[in-house]
Amino acid sequence: MINEARYIQSYAKIIGVKEEAAISYAQKKGTLALINNASGLLTTKTQREKHKAFVDLYRMSSELHHENPVLSSPEAVTSFMQSVMEHIHDKEAMMAVFLDTKNRVIDYEEVSLGTINSSIVHPREIFRGAVINKANAIILCHNHPSGDLTPSGEDKTITLRLKEAGKLMGIEVLDHVIISGIEKDRYYSFKESGVLEETARYGNKIQKETDKENKSALSVSSSIKETGTNYEVTDAPFEAFITNLGKYNEGELVGEWVAFPTDRESLQEVFKHIGIGSENELGTVYEEIFISDYDCRIGNLYNVLGEYESLNELNYLASKIEELSESEKEHFEAAMEISDYTGSVKDLINLTENLDRYEVYPGIEDYDDLGRMYIDEYGILEVPDHLKNYFDYAAYGRDVAMDEGGSFTSYGYIRDNYDTFREFYHGNREDIPEEYLITGSIEEPEKSDTLTVLMVEPGKEAYVTEIKSDISSLKAQVGGLIESVYVFHDPVVLVCNDEGKINGMELNRALYDENGNLYDIIGGPFFIAGLSEDGFTSLSTELCNKYQERFKAPEIFANIGGEIVAIPVTASIQEKKENYLRAAELSQEQNYNMIDGQLNNIAPKKTHEKPSSVLARLKENEAMIQKNAAEKKQDISKIKKLIEPERS
């Protein structure tokens, strides 16, 4: 199985281009564009010559010409795995196959070789590969060299163990198939046998029994119906799994598949089913949603559609695609592979009205076909009949494709004629025809001139407040030019002073990476606001509560043992009638023997020089700490006492 990342890396080395440039080009135009349409990447004669030689070798490889198979049934799994495991004859081996949302094979790997038992088949190893490959589901397969397909007790134990592990990971174990080492068409499916009775698909959706007690089960769109082992999938351009954000933050995945386009009434029913508008035990109303998964008939849509897309825009896009004829849909899919206008839902909506910019030649699958089309059909080059058997049509076709920047797709050869790209949809709600709007009021709501935000100031507890939404007011809140920082997974933005630390503003709060390591300190006041497709918006009650708890306590900072430490000023310190200045003195006073709660032991020197950096100031403190070892131990002990809760 081809590893795409390694393939791009090797390509860059062979051709002599930067790996970052090759990755960016592949992400924009597709990996196969490195073969079929690399003219925009190649800048030197040497690169073009190397590319030509590489293409010749590439065409000799059959593996790259075939699309990864779709495993839609146990029979398909058996056929695929028999070819994969044909080199294994006398030993049992277990394979894990990683699948995307359409059950297309992403990759596979050998899990164990020899007698299978639970001690060597560990869920951690299997699901690590699934996570690395961003798999939506996995299928397990192992062989019985004897030909006896009867599963052992250990086989069942492992299967159930992995199924439960998959539920926790959000990666479905679709099946475990045992194949025969003698009769190639025989198999045993754990799914068909009922061992995986909770699994209800070998297609694009997962259906689970409703968990009434926890009210956290996934809901399945009515567009799916069971047809034996396989499932019939809707013809909608795409489906989205609408998820309750509040419940998700509480540890529950509650959502429902919605086929687009849809209507306002159907969407409101979905909202009702997943709890949007209801309250939790604390009285917080669930107001926000996000999209946790997509199922697309047009595969390239996966690279564009995101978690927080406008439902109105999605509905508009789906409606525009649905209005296309079948040939136009193929034209659209082909255009997506080479177009520069595929970076957003807005771009795709406009692309549906600009298909005439892209010329598609169905049935032209390679350079030889292209050369014969131009020479034999269009007469671009006159080749005498007696020389046609000796003429290199493929070489001519390759030169033509490189000159005009054409590409080969599953729908034929396509090229951009570079006509003007017309933008009729500008990304505004008022640009969407009324019949496609499915959320909010039909009339465009008036934008509020105020925002509900969480304000965080140095030395103070975070608090919720209302601020004006104009740029002057935003700048006033942070004391200068604003900087928007997107460091959280929720649809929120942290707005701070762009030059807070440079200008020597008081240190405020620390930011941590996913591993819990402190990587930055914000200088000066900042606020947390919500995000929408139109920019800053008010925070919901739920998000206000969440981030108020996150930034509730003021923080002071010290450099202890060469490591910057953030120390929260807790309520226990308040109870001891010690204000935060007394604690801050430990990190900022020049003389640690004079702890009095006043940051005035040494008056600051007036200077017109640029304020020293945060790191420099912390290093100065460290030098003072190291001046006297005994004093350092004493001071650290004092810090520990300050942050320890008061003992009863």
Side-chain angles (χ1 to χ4, degrees):
M1 186 67 59
I2 297 297
N3 184 303
E4 191 172 7
R6 289 181 61 188
Y7 171 74
I8 296 174
Q9 186 182 47
S10 299
Y11 173 91
K13 289 181 180 179
I14 294 171
I15 306 302
V17 299
K18 292 184 178 180
E19 184 178 339
E20 295 81 6
I23 294 172
S24 177
Y25 198 83
Q27 289 175 341
K28 185 178 181 181
K29 295 182 175 292
T31 303
L32 283 180
L34 297 174
I35 300 296
N36 300 326
N37 183 25
S39 57
L41 180 65
L42 310 175
T43 58
T44 67
K45 181 180 179 181
T46 301
Q47 289 174 351
R48 288 191 289 270
E49 290 176 349
K50 289 183 177 180
H51 179 266
K52 185 176 180 181
F54 181 82
V55 169
D56 289 336
L57 290 173
Y58 165 81
R59 295 300 174 191
M60 298 177 188
S61 171
S62 61
E63 185 175 8
L64 290 177
H65 290 288
H66 297 288
E67 198 173 42
N68 292 350
V70 174
L71 303 186
S72 57
S73 66
E75 291 84 358
V77 175
T78 302
S79 176
F80 176 69
M81 295 309 300
Q82 285 287 9
S83 64
V84 170
M85 302 174 69
E86 62 181 357
H87 64 288
I88 305 172
H89 302 288
D90 56 348
K91 295 182 179 179
E92 266 192 51
M94 174 172 278
M95 310 290 292
V97 187
F98 309 120
L99 310 174
D100 63 15
T101 56
K102 288 186 171 291
N103 281 16
R104 192 176 304 280
V105 176
I106 302 172
D107 203 351
Y108 57 84
E109 67 178 25
E110 186 179 283
V111 178
S112 69
L113 184 63
T115 303
I116 296 177
N117 60 66
S118 59
S119 64
I120 62 175
V121 181
H122 198 284
R124 178 178 60 249
E125 302 301 321
I126 293 177
F127 287 101
R128 180 174 61 183
V131 171
I132 291 173
N133 285 281
K134 299 179 180 179
N136 183 70
I138 66 172
I139 290 177
L140 305 168
C141 180
H142 81 275
N143 64 322
H144 280 182
S146 65
D148 183 2
L149 299 178
T150 305
S152 67
E154 195 72 22
D155 291 338
K156 294 180 180 180
T157 299
I158 294 169
T159 302
L160 293 174
R161 183 184 181 197
L162 292 173
K163 184 190 75 170
E164 292 302 314
K167 289 170 64 178
L168 295 174
M169 296 282 296
I171 301 172
E172 183 77 1
V173 178
L174 292 185
D175 205 350
H176 183 176
V177 179
I178 302 175
I179 61 177
S180 171
I182 300 175
E183 300 175 79
K184 302 300 184 183
D185 58 343
R186 293 183 64 233
Y187 67 88
Y188 175 91
S189 166
F190 280 74
K191 178 192 168 212
E192 288 186 340
S193 68
V195 176
L196 295 175
E197 69 277 356
E198 201 171 290
T199 302
R201 71 134 185 188
Y202 239 121
N204 295 316
K205 305 287 180 292
I206 301 170
Q207 184 176 6
K208 297 182 178 180
E209 295 182 0
T210 304
D211 186 346
K212 295 181 180 180
E213 183 178 351
N214 296 321
K215 299 179 181 180
S216 62
L218 305 183
S219 300
V220 180
S221 169
S222 59
S223 59
I224 306 170
K225 64 179 180 180
E226 186 173 354
T227 57
T229 305
N230 301 298
Y231 284 75
E232 181 180 331
V233 183
T234 177
D235 288 333
F238 57 85
E239 296 179 68
F241 195 79
I242 311 297
T243 306
N244 185 319
L245 180 60
K247 287 186 177 289
Y248 183 80
N249 290 331
E250 295 170 358
E252 297 181 75
L253 182 61
V254 181
E256 187 162 330
W257 284 101
V258 176
F260 286 87
T262 187
D263 55 63
R264 182 184 297 268
E265 291 73 21
S266 299
L267 186 64
Q268 290 304 314
E269 280 298 311
V270 170
F271 285 171
K272 182 179 179 181
H273 295 164
I274 67 176
I276 298 299
S278 64
E279 295 183 357
N280 64 10
E281 297 177 350
L282 301 177
T284 300
V285 179
Y286 296 112
E287 300 175 325
E288 298 181 82
I289 58 97
F290 77 108
I291 301 171
S292 57
D293 196 10
Y294 288 95
D295 185 14
C296 308
R297 288 187 65 204
I298 299 175
N300 286 335
L301 286 176
Y302 286 106
N303 302 321
V304 182
L305 305 182
E307 293 181 322
Y308 298 102
E309 301 290 357
S310 162
L311 298 185
N312 288 321
E313 271 198 350
L314 290 178
N315 203 54
Y316 192 21
L317 172 62
S319 299
K320 296 294 293 183
I321 295 174
E322 195 172 64
E323 291 168 3
L324 301 174
S325 67
E326 287 304 314
S327 62
E328 288 173 331
K329 289 177 183 177
E330 294 179 357
H331 199 145
F332 177 76
E333 291 196 58
M336 283 190 67
E337 295 190 22
I338 70 166
S339 176
D340 293 329
Y341 301 93
T342 58
S344 65
V345 176
K346 171 192 160 190
D347 286 344
L348 295 180
I349 292 172
N350 285 313
L351 183 61
T352 63
E353 295 287 341
N354 286 272
L355 296 181
D356 56 348
R357 170 168 168 160
Y358 306 94
E359 299 178 12
V360 180
Y361 301 86
I364 306 301
E365 299 178 352
D366 53 33
Y367 293 128
D368 186 79
D369 289 344
L370 184 63
R372 293 181 183 277
M373 181 187 73
Y374 272 100
I375 294 173
D376 295 344
E377 295 182 30
Y378 296 160
I380 300 297
L381 183 67
E382 186 174 346
V383 180
D385 290 341
H386 67 281
L387 294 178
K388 286 185 176 181
N389 291 334
Y390 304 97
F391 188 80
D392 193 343
Y393 287 95
Y396 182 80
R398 181 167 55 249
D399 291 341
V400 170
M402 292 181 67
D403 288 341
E404 60 187 24
S407 300
F408 297 99
T409 72
S410 54
Y411 301 100
Y413 179 73
I414 183 172
R415 68 183 184 91
D416 189 342
N417 61 29
Y418 295 101
D419 289 343
T420 302
F421 191 92
R422 305 177 301 278
E423 186 175 274
F424 71 96
Y425 173 61
H426 303 285
N428 303 317
R429 181 187 171 98
E430 57 264 24
D431 294 336
I432 303 177
E434 183 175 309
E435 64 265 28
Y436 302 129
L437 295 173
I438 55 175
T439 66
S441 172
I442 297 295
E443 300 295 328
E444 180 72 14
E446 293 184 7
K447 293 185 177 180
S448 174
D449 59 353
T450 62
L451 298 173
T452 301
V453 302
L454 180 73
M455 197 71 206
V456 186
E457 300 181 59
K460 297 182 180 179
E461 290 190 357
Y463 59 92
V464 179
T465 186
E466 297 281 334
I467 63 174
K468 292 184 177 181
S469 59
D470 61 279
I471 188 65
S472 299
S473 300
L474 300 182
K475 291 168 69 175
Q477 294 297 321
V478 300
L481 297 175
I482 64 172
E483 178 185 9
S484 301
V485 183
Y486 307 93
V487 294
F488 307 111
H489 295 297
D490 297 317
V492 299
V493 58
L494 187 155
V495 183
C496 61
N497 190 306
D498 188 37
E499 300 178 334
K501 292 194 287 283
I502 296 176
N503 293 333
M505 285 187 162
E506 186 177 353
L507 301 183
N508 191 344
R509 300 295 201 277
L511 296 179
Y512 301 87
D513 60 22
E514 294 181 351
N515 297 319
N517 301 315
L518 191 155
Y519 71 88
D520 197 8
I521 301 173
I522 301 174
F526 65 88
F527 63 86
I528 306 290
L531 277 178
S532 70
E533 59 217 51
D534 298 322
F536 297 169
T537 187
S538 293
L539 279 179
S540 66
T541 302
E542 178 188 355
L543 291 175
C544 275
N545 294 337
K546 178 179 178 179
Y547 287 93
Q548 188 168 25
E549 184 63 27
R550 162 69 175 82
F551 293 108
K552 181 179 181 180
E555 294 176 345
I556 58 174
F557 305 91
N559 194 331
I560 301 177
E563 181 178 351
I564 300 174
V565 178
I567 305 170
V569 181
T570 62
S572 63
I573 297 177
Q574 302 285 346
E575 293 171 2
K576 295 176 181 179
K577 298 180 180 181
E578 296 179 334
N579 62 46
Y580 83 95
L581 290 175
R582 184 174 180 84
E585 194 174 14
L586 294 173
S587 64
Q588 298 194 29
E589 284 281 11
Q590 295 284 342
N591 185 344
Y592 280 21
N593 288 324
M594 299 178 66
I595 305 293
D596 55 9
Q598 302 291 324
L599 300 178
N600 60 358
N601 287 346
I602 297 180
K605 297 180 180 179
K606 295 182 179 181
T607 178
H608 297 289
E609 297 179 359
K610 183 179 179 181
S612 59
S613 67
V614 175
L615 186 59
R617 281 179 278 157
L618 291 172
K619 285 184 176 180
E620 291 174 2
N621 291 342
E622 183 181 20
M624 290 295 112
I625 295 174
Q626 294 176 345
K627 188 174 180 180
N628 189 310
E631 289 182 358
K632 178 180 176 181
K633 291 181 180 179
Q634 184 181 5
D635 295 332
I636 293 175
S637 176
K638 291 178 180 179
I639 292 175
K640 289 182 178 180
K641 289 180 179 180
L642 285 172
I643 64 176
E644 288 177 354
E646 185 177 3
R647 298 179 180 176
S648 58

